[in-house]
Amino acid sequence: MKTNRHVLSIFVLLLVTGIVISCTNNANQKVQPVLGIRSVQIIKDKGLQFKDLNKNGKLDKYEDWRLSDDERIADLVGQMTLEEKVGLLFHPNIAVPADGIVKYDFTEEEKAAIANAANEQYSGPIGPGGQAPAGGGMAMGQMRRAATAKSFIEEKNFRNILNNGVAPIREFASWSNKMQEIAEATRLGVPIMFSTDPRHGATLGAHVSGKQYFSQWPSKEGQVGITSSRDTAIVRKFGEVVAEEYRAVGLHMILGPQIDVMTEPRWGRNMGCFSEDANLTSEMLAAFMDGAQGKNIGPGKILVHLKHWPGSGPHKGGTGQWLVYPGNNFDYHLIPWKTGIAKGALAAMGYYSGTYFDSLNVNYSYHMSTEVLYSQMGFKGAICTDWGVVSRGPLKPSLQGKTTLKDNMEMIINAGVDQMGSETNNNLVLDLVKEGKITEQRVNQAASRILQWHFKLGLFENPYVDPEAAVNIVRSDKNQKLGYQAQLESIVLLTNDGVLPAKENIKIFVDGIDRELAAKYATLVDDPNQADLILIRAVTQEERGFGGAPAAQGGNTVNRPRTAAGQGGNRQVAAGQQRNAQQMAANMNPFAARDVDIAFPSAKWDNIKALAKTGKPVVVAFNPSGSSCVLPADLKHVVKGTIMIFDALDNALLDVVFGKFNPIGKLTFEIPLSMNDVKNQLEDVPFDAPNKAFKFGDGLSY
């Protein structure tokens, strides 16, 4: 009797805290899931428990976890108002603040400022996620930090939110819980699906910027480094770790991986990809998805959001404006997409580029979205635009600059795209439906595709996380060791004139490497003339903006700190975007492109050659920052060792240099011999530079 009272007291405690766990039921029913509850009541049916999300006291189909996702989605969409359904078609930003406190509503001063703000209605770049924050200092994906829970969740019915904020783990998880609690209390209790850009680099950059709280892996925002290992087992582990750490803090979808095939060396986002080889990209993608999504997406797993449809590697001249296929190689760029779809991808992101088919941005193209992705390739998920696509306009010269934001939304949704990244003006879509320009049937279709995410992730049963458990899960010793192993395996040794591995206790001069750390491996000297070895770490070129222009002015030093805009060049600040849009609108040739120079900066090379003139052996670790690279023509005559490093930490580089780890990395792309060779290759064809400094697959060991 005492035991029964003890069991009952535990059950009551679990019920009060919002977690109800039941035993398994018979073989014809699913296992009782964990229910996370903050404000709704429990409904019991045949000894099982369900959440009364719509607070009506009875079990609705969408609340019944025993039913199929399709049945639940149909029931929920049938109960939703037009405003609630339209809210699903938006994917805006709210960044968790460092203190983890939810901003529920604007202050009176903020409300007055918003009321007085101009309402821009015409297409034109106004910054991804809205107007750029005053003063800058924030990664582009972290815009809309000041958006409120009341506005987004209660008033606009947004249920898909990009969170690229950075906060300590406990605060991060607590913030996610509070946001979900607000969503649970709404009319239908639909939970939030939180997405994020990649945030597992050894250091942060690009869309997520700040202190790194998660485990540290190669590349700031991509897979080109980990792919160098050719180690599918560690890529699968990477997917598992990303899922584990994301779910621990309340994140559910990675805006990635980036499966563009890097056939155009000048494109500014190559270092976010896997490889120049579509088949290697597919192999690594499959391994990552096995880890991240698993065979059955659910609690503990995340969704991938594949990007960028239809494969954004082949940009005209590398500028990032138009996709071209001079080698008639369109199908080659679809190979990873076929793999991703076959593995169960349910989210795809269309890029900013215009298409060769109809000179429209891919998100505005019915052919690219509906006829190719859905009809021909059998995609079953939802398409979301990249961030800020709506405000950039359709790109077609006859339309660009002549359409309103409302026109753009109409074109995008009717093209078959289901969701708009960064946008918040839901009234425009509501007006389009009321005017008959978008049918409610089309809204229902989009909402149904998007709700797959929430149901498959198990969010309707339990969107909450344990902040204390998260502290022990995220950046655990296990995950850190795996990430460091991946960093080591990512490093590629390209040339070695007998100087590597370096001997212990030699004298070393370093440039671009943490001096305190280097001193643990060798005797550090300030005068390169006194060194036995000179070791340099250098970024290969200035980072570039969306149109291919340098994002910042270069200097004369070998190394320059990264800018807040970060890697990749898919976005710029508002002023730069304005110039880009004006140039595109005025351009009579929609496929024109300006030259993009990816040669290693001459000023940096002069500094390296000056160090080499000391007569001391020089080893250079080149770190590509966005585009692929062209290394100096006299490289092998100047340096004694060449290493390619993909944002790995200095201690991983030093472990390789000093032989504590025997390098195994192989290049995942070719390095053309010169800029002329870059210009004489075709944007859509792999491995076709007439002359190569290094071939795909090159890489030495000791």
Side-chain angles (χ1 to χ4, degrees):
M1 190 69 176
K2 180 178 180 181
T3 301
N4 289 339
R5 285 199 302 269
H6 180 63
V7 171
L8 180 60
S9 65
I10 292 175
F11 176 80
V12 171
L13 176 62
L14 291 171
L15 182 60
V16 170
T17 57
I19 303 295
V20 179
I21 307 174
S22 293
C23 300
T24 59
N25 46 323
N26 65 51
N28 295 322
Q29 295 175 315
K30 295 180 180 179
V31 175
Q32 169 74 55
V34 174
L35 302 182
I37 296 168
R38 292 296 185 273
S39 60
V40 300
Q41 300 298 313
I42 288 290
I43 294 175
K44 295 182 179 179
D45 183 76
K46 298 179 181 179
L48 300 173
Q49 297 172 345
F50 307 84
K51 294 170 67 173
D52 186 14
L53 291 166
N54 63 1
K55 300 89 176 166
N56 66 354
K58 65 178 184 178
L59 181 61
D60 291 85
K61 287 185 177 181
Y62 87 92
E63 300 164 339
D64 191 342
W65 44 260
R66 297 169 298 187
L67 300 179
S68 69
D69 291 339
D70 288 345
E71 290 176 282
R72 299 180 74 184
I73 290 169
D75 179 62
L76 177 57
V77 171
Q79 294 193 39
M80 297 177 87
T81 64
L82 176 62
E83 289 76 11
E84 289 165 338
K85 290 182 289 190
V86 165
L88 292 169
L89 275 62
F90 290 79
H91 200 142
N93 303 28
I94 299 182
V96 56
D99 59 11
I101 297 175
V102 169
K103 185 179 181 66
Y104 177 72
D105 199 4
F106 291 116
T107 64
E108 292 303 318
E109 293 79 7
E110 289 170 335
K111 289 178 182 178
I114 293 169
N116 293 329
N119 186 17
E120 174 62 68
Q121 289 292 308
Y122 287 86
S123 64
I126 56 174
Q131 287 75 20
M138 187 187 303
M140 302 305 279
Q142 291 170 299
M143 290 182 181
R144 296 202 185 281
R145 185 184 293 272
T148 69
K150 179 180 180 181
S151 172
F152 276 26
I153 301 171
E154 296 179 348
E155 297 174 352
K156 296 189 175 184
N157 303 292
F158 296 152
R159 290 299 184 274
N160 299 272
I161 293 174
L162 170 63
N163 176 10
N164 276 352
V166 173
I169 299 305
R170 183 181 289 103
E171 286 78 3
F172 198 131
S174 298
W175 181 89
S176 298
N177 282 345
K178 181 61 179 177
M179 293 287 283
Q180 295 288 6
E181 182 178 346
I182 294 168
E184 183 183 293
T186 59
R187 191 179 77 90
L188 295 174
V190 178
I192 302 167
M193 193 288 300
F194 281 112
S195 68
T196 181
D197 278 285
R199 55 166 73 230
H200 271 86
T203 56
L204 289 178
H207 300 93
V208 183
S209 180
K211 182 178 178 180
Q212 177 57 289
Y213 291 99
F214 291 76
S215 58
Q216 297 170 291
W217 296 70
S219 303
K220 286 187 173 69
E221 188 170 328
Q223 302 79 34
V224 67
I226 200 169
T227 303
S228 298
S229 70
R230 305 299 201 273
D231 185 348
T232 54
I234 204 163
V235 173
R236 186 177 299 109
K237 284 291 185 183
F238 180 43
E240 291 174 359
V241 169
V242 170
E244 178 186 42
E245 296 192 345
Y246 277 13
R247 288 304 295 254
V249 297
L251 296 169
H252 313 110
M253 173 186 281
I254 183 170
L255 298 188
Q258 189 179 321
I259 59 173
D260 309 295
V261 184
M262 46 198 294
T263 54
E264 169 47 64
R266 292 166 289 189
W267 187 44
R269 297 197 66 179
N270 278 330
M271 290 306 116
C273 303
F274 283 97
S275 173
E276 188 172 352
D277 186 321
N279 293 301
L280 179 58
T281 296
S282 295
E283 181 183 6
M284 294 295 166
L285 169 64
F288 181 82
M289 290 183 65
D290 283 343
Q293 288 198 174
K295 292 183 179 179
N296 297 301
I297 305 158
K301 293 298 181 182
I302 60 171
L303 287 165
V304 299
H305 195 141
L306 300 183
K307 61 185 186 184
H308 304 89
W309 174 252
S312 296
H315 279 95
K316 177 68 174 176
T319 62
Q321 295 170 347
W322 297 96
L323 299 175
V324 293
Y325 303 90
N328 196 29
N329 213 24
F330 176 75
D331 288 343
Y332 184 76
H333 293 265
L334 297 184
I335 291 173
W337 287 92
K338 292 176 181 178
T339 297
I341 292 169
K343 296 291 290 185
L346 290 174
M349 183 183 297
Y351 197 53
Y352 302 98
S353 314
T355 72
Y356 75 100
F357 180 80
D358 48 20
S359 297
L360 283 167
N361 172 279
V362 295
N363 299 275
Y364 293 72
S365 172
Y366 181 85
H367 170 71
M368 296 305 299
S369 297
T370 296
E371 295 180 345
V372 179
L373 185 54
Y374 280 117
S375 299
Q376 294 180 22
M377 300 191 66
F379 180 59
K380 303 297 184 185
I383 307 174
C384 179
T385 73
D386 210 329
W387 266 235
V389 162
V390 176
S391 59
R392 289 183 188 273
L395 291 187
K396 192 177 183 72
S398 62
L399 296 175
Q400 184 69 0
K402 301 175 183 178
T403 59
T404 65
L405 292 177
K406 185 175 175 182
D407 296 332
N408 295 346
M409 290 183 179
E410 176 187 352
M411 293 177 68
I412 287 169
I413 294 170
N414 284 335
V417 174
D418 306 294
Q419 199 173 62
M420 294 168 287
S422 84
E423 302 302 323
T424 60
N425 196 339
N426 57 330
N427 288 325
L428 296 180
V429 176
L430 291 170
D431 289 343
L432 287 166
V433 176
K434 293 171 184 176
E435 294 165 7
K437 295 179 179 178
I438 294 175
T439 66
E440 190 161 358
Q441 181 181 9
R442 172 69 188 103
V443 172
N444 292 345
Q445 180 189 50
S448 298
R449 289 171 174 170
I450 294 161
L451 283 169
Q452 292 180 92
W453 303 344
H454 303 69
F455 280 105
K456 288 189 179 298
L457 289 162
L459 300 181
F460 278 88
E461 280 61 66
N462 186 19
Y464 300 106
V465 296
D466 182 343
E468 298 307 317
V471 172
N472 295 321
I473 292 170
V474 178
R475 206 170 182 174
S476 66
D477 289 344
K478 169 185 71 73
N479 293 350
Q480 274 291 84
K481 288 178 182 178
L482 284 168
Y484 190 70
Q485 180 67 24
Q487 289 182 51
L488 292 170
E489 294 186 16
S490 74
I491 295 172
V492 182
L493 177 62
L494 289 176
T495 68
N496 182 18
D497 194 6
V499 299
L500 299 176
K503 296 179 181 179
E504 293 184 7
N505 301 319
I506 64 171
K507 296 177 181 178
I508 186 172
F509 176 86
V510 297
D511 186 344
I513 294 171
D514 184 272
R515 290 175 56 83
E516 183 177 344
L517 184 60
K520 297 179 180 179
Y521 291 79
T523 301
L524 207 62
V525 296
D526 296 326
D527 182 358
N529 291 284
Q530 302 301 315
D532 298 312
L533 179 71
I534 296 172
L535 180 61
I536 300 165
R537 178 171 180 153
V539 176
T540 56
Q541 73 275 321
E542 303 300 336
E543 298 174 26
R544 301 186 179 277
F546 172 74
Q553 296 300 315
N556 293 322
T557 58
V558 173
N559 291 279
R560 182 180 61 81
R562 293 177 59 82
T563 63
Q567 154 188 349
N570 70 316
R571 303 181 178 117
Q572 289 175 294
V573 295
Q577 292 172 336
Q578 185 75 42
R579 292 192 298 271
N580 186 55
Q582 291 170 348
Q583 290 167 1
M584 283 302 303
N587 200 336
M588 296 302 293
N589 178 5
F591 296 105
R594 60 175 174 273
D595 288 339
V596 176
D597 187 355
I598 60 171
F600 188 73
S602 59
K604 290 184 180 182
W605 187 236
D606 287 343
N607 286 347
I608 292 172
K609 287 193 292 185
L611 289 171
K613 286 180 180 179
T614 62
K616 306 299 182 178
V618 174
V619 173
V620 181
F622 291 101
N623 197 142
S625 63
S627 306
S628 304
C629 56
V630 171
L631 301 179
D634 55 345
L635 173 72
K636 296 177 183 178
H637 299 292
V638 174
V639 305
K640 297 296 184 181
T642 307
I643 296 171
M644 192 65 66
I645 188 169
F646 301 97
D647 298 311
L649 295 172
D650 286 344
N651 52 342
L653 170 61
L654 289 162
D655 275 355
V656 169
V657 167
F658 284 89
K660 296 181 183 296
F661 181 82
N662 192 354
I664 65 169
K666 306 295 182 185
L667 276 182
T668 65
F669 54 94
E670 69 178 15
I671 299 179
L673 185 62
S674 69
M675 278 306 302
N676 281 336
D677 292 301
V678 171
K679 294 174 183 178
N680 288 325
Q681 54 88 52
L682 301 178
E683 286 92 339
D684 60 328
V685 177
F687 319 126
D688 67 330
N691 301 287
K692 312 174 198 305
F694 297 99
K695 299 187 298 296
F696 170 85
D698 277 356
L700 305 174
S701 295
Y702 299 142

